[in-house]
Amino acid sequence: MTPGGCWHCGEPLPRGDAPKDTISATIDGAARRFCCTGCRAAAQWIAQIGLADYYRLRSAPAQRPADATDERTAWARDELARHVVRERGDGAREAMLLIDGIRCSACVWLIERLLGALPGVVQVSVNAAAQRARIAWDPAQCTLPTVLDVLARAGYVGRPLDAEALDDARRRESRQALKRLVVAGFGAMQAMMYASALYLGALDASDPTTRYLMRWLGLLVATPVVFYAAAPFFGGAVRALRARRLGMDVPVALAIALIYLASLYEALRGGREVYFDSVSMFVFFLLVGRYLEMRARHKAGDLGDAHARLMPLFADRVRADGALERVAASALVPGDLVQVAEGAAVPADGRLEGARCRVDESLLSGESDAVTKTAGSPLLAGSLVVLGPARLRVQRVGAATALAGIVALVSRAQTERPRLARVGERAAARFVARVLLLAALTAIGWSLVDPPRAFAAALAVLVVSCPCALALAVPAALTRALAVLARRGVLVVRPDAIEALACATQVVFDKTGTLTLAQLDLGHVELRRAGSRDDALALAAALARGSRHPAARALADAAAGMPVPAAEDVREIAGCGLEGRLQGRLLRLGQADFALGAAAATAAAGNAEGIVLADADGAIAVFHLSERLRPDAIDAVAALRAAGLAVEIASGDAAAKVAAVAARLHVETWHARQRPADKLARLAALRAQGARVIAVGDGINDAPVLAAADVSVALASGADLAQASSDIVLRGERLGAIAEARAIATDTLRILRQNQRWAIGYNLAAVPFAALGLVPPWLAALGMSASSLVVVLNALRIGRGAQGPREAAPLQRERIA
């Protein structure tokens, strides 16, 4: 606040005019000066989370931060943590972290064990390719800052997953990789220039001092290459060895160290054979490969991370006097009234108040066309108002929004390691041990035949046979597949589902809410003992209004506007219906055999086709609902059948309704009046016959059946996305995405096997040439980097075929301040 004081706390600036005495940073586009690094860190953090307006709005300077306070401790504050921490159903909390410094499977092993040993941590899942971790903990025993502190002590930097963290982490990773690449490239060129003068005999006529000078110049330029540019390889190798594992960096670091130390020894004793050019080119080619892999990984991640970038930084909150105030989106709380301008993104979940508007929910609900919203309609955070403005009453913010649910599902899949990845990691670790043994045998063999060539041949074997490409084969393909599927509206919750989906032979559909639209309409009401239609509907709505089943929602909607009595002890029996008490009277609503109970012997009521409302004396009324097929149901079933899959329907509805839907979809095999136990028995029978079954349901009411299938697919939208119990969740209502997902899964397995065959074939072909001394170490490094790059580029082919309708939507939207 004081012109000559610290920008953050207002205290006097340190004395001294030298640049080294100035502590400054760029905040909100302007250079600011600070009294200490703590204040600078605090100001940078406030600006990073989008709250730089704090300095314009404040009425007094901030408190000076304590020396031990940094950005990790800031996550202990609920107002910040609520945007990245999710509450789980079991009482635990969960957060997704971006982790800098992960190099290989040994890093994953170390992080999982470090965090798993913390009191209160209940689950740790780390993915090396995506550089992400999913952490769940008991809030009574552990906190997010504790987790971040443990990572920091181990040499890793963890950042809760949000758009700012994504951008910062990628910029930092790219900047560091580019700096190391430049140093290695400059060193390689200079070392090769000095070595060429020696190799080509240009200095043969010179005195020995000049030749020695060339060797020492080679040492001078190779040293920063080894100790700076190659530092990630040494760091990864050290972590792997501490974890008692053989990671990909172990043979690479060993080769770099051996070449450099041998060359240094030769230079010190005046020998003729130095390899400073080889070690510099070796590191340069390795870094080129790693840099290209990083760019490819970022490109693949852009698809899956698009959702995390949808949330705007700022929102226009409506004050009590009707004026608008610009606040950070993270500062919104439920109950706030927010105005969203035309062309702006919705900052939180809520309901529309006031006039109609049209919003683009293409990356949320899967609907490619703009959707018209009326007063009371839900608006989802991240959707774009294309015709407005709109006024929103905030209901959910931060990690509780539907957008956060989508990000959590995508990120959860990226942090879990599927069976194929675990098998690949074990195979690569065994291969590293064999590489080290083969290099030792090559050195021994050449020592007996031609000792001067033993060192170079052993190094070439060590480098050329490093199984980096084999280790990348699975994660590269799966990361790309997860991103492409997410872009097309298919959220893979369990990565093993990709393999199972590609191998599936049978699809079993639920009918209500899956093949048919969830919005049912109430048609004819057949009165049995009720006084009037409204009386019967009021009793049914008393039970139905707390359920999310499509039939229950239809009855509750039909009773809107009429007085509905309050029922007690209402509970939902999966696959049967609802029961509860009304003024001491037990009522049941559902299928006839469930609702009627002991009165099922009444033939007239027992044969009712519809939703039956009954009490202890028998049927009160029968509600007949009308339903419509989803718009693409016929094409979706036809596409699955064309792909070679058998299709059948298993529904709890009446036989006449199931038969009618099956006939319209040309499905020959169908089963009606199926309770969850009946569906489970049907799945067991199919699997006993050798079928690999995909079960498709609504994700809420079919949880037991979905859990028993080889692959479970749920249709969900909005807030239900985070609650769906399935392996795969379809955003929106497009059944055609199932056939597209299976085609992508099949393509993924094909390319994954191509990558594995290429990696194994390359090693088998290159190792003999290296062992025979025909491949110099620098060329071996080039070959190893090229093989890894081929694997990554081949993985990028996944999804490059026929584009789904989601591909037309923009990948990212400009984040609106």
Side-chain angles (χ1 to χ4, degrees), residues 226 230-241 247-261 279 282-283 286 290 432 436 459 462-463 466 468 784:
V226 171
F233 304 112
F234 290 112
V238 169
R239 287 193 294 267
L241 294 176
M248 295 302 102
D249 288 329
V250 172
V252 172
L254 181 60
I256 294 172
L258 288 177
I259 298 174
Y260 180 78
L261 292 176
V279 71
F282 178 35
V283 173
L286 286 173
R290 291 266 174 112
V432 169
L436 297 176
L459 286 177
L462 193 64
V463 174
C466 180
C468 294
M784 187 193 72

Side-chain angles (χ1 to χ4, degrees), residues 182-446:
V182 169
V183 171
F186 177 78
M189 288 188 295
Q190 292 298 111
M192 181 58 68
M193 181 179 68
Y194 300 139
S196 298
L198 294 173
Y199 294 156
L200 300 177
L203 300 177
D204 287 349
S206 304
D207 61 279
T209 305
T210 304
R211 292 196 293 273
Y212 292 153
L213 177 62
M214 292 295 106
R215 295 190 182 95
W216 285 106
L217 288 174
L219 171 64
L220 181 65
V221 297
T223 298
V225 172
V226 171
F227 287 94
Y228 173 72
F233 304 112
F234 290 112
V238 169
R239 287 193 294 267
L241 294 176
R242 283 177 178 172
R244 299 182 180 180
R245 292 175 61 90
L246 294 175
M248 295 302 102
D249 288 329
V250 172
V252 172
L254 181 60
I256 294 172
L258 288 177
I259 298 174
Y260 180 78
L261 292 176
S263 301
L264 179 61
Y265 173 75
E266 287 293 312
L268 290 174
R269 76 180 188 91
R272 295 183 59 86
E273 296 295 332
V274 292
Y275 305 97
F276 295 123
D277 57 324
S278 294
V279 71
S280 300
M281 293 185 65
F282 178 35
V283 173
F284 175 69
F285 287 133
L286 286 173
L287 290 176
V288 167
R290 291 266 174 112
Y291 183 77
L292 294 176
E293 291 167 18
M294 178 199 68
R295 293 293 300 271
R297 173 164 47 84
H298 287 180
K299 182 178 180 181
D302 280 341
L303 292 171
D305 295 335
H307 301 94
R309 304 174 190 277
L310 294 179
M311 188 70 75
L313 289 176
F314 297 100
D316 291 325
R317 184 165 56 193
V318 182
R319 297 194 311 211
D321 60 1
L324 299 180
E325 61 174 343
R326 174 62 60 92
V327 299
S330 58
L332 295 176
V333 296
D336 281 347
L337 183 63
V338 177
Q339 177 153 315
V340 186
E342 184 173 315
V346 178
D349 284 0
R351 294 203 169 271
L352 178 66
E353 292 196 359
R356 299 170 55 178
C357 69
R358 288 177 61 82
V359 296
D360 175 9
E361 298 179 343
S362 57
L363 285 179
L364 296 171
S365 67
E367 177 61 51
S368 57
D369 296 328
V371 180
T372 300
K373 301 286 186 176
T374 57
S377 297
L379 292 178
L380 302 179
S383 56
L384 190 70
V385 176
V386 296
L387 183 61
R391 287 208 167 186
L392 169 78
R393 181 66 66 180
V394 175
Q395 293 179 319
R396 292 180 297 273
V397 297
T401 62
L403 175 61
I406 295 175
V407 173
L409 288 179
V410 175
S411 300
R412 185 184 307 169
Q414 292 178 336
T415 55
E416 292 184 0
R417 287 177 291 160
R419 186 191 67 85
L420 289 173
R422 295 192 296 270
V423 171
E425 288 172 2
R426 289 194 294 268
R430 290 193 299 267
F431 204 97
V432 169
R434 294 167 186 166
V435 166
L436 297 176
L437 177 61
L438 184 59
L441 292 176
T442 301
I444 294 172
W446 277 105

Side-chain angles (χ1 to χ4, degrees), residues 525 527-539 620-621 623:
V525 179
L527 301 178
R528 296 299 175 90
R529 292 189 295 112
S532 67
R533 182 181 185 276
D534 288 350
D535 291 341
L537 191 56
L539 292 176
I620 299 173
F623 302 93

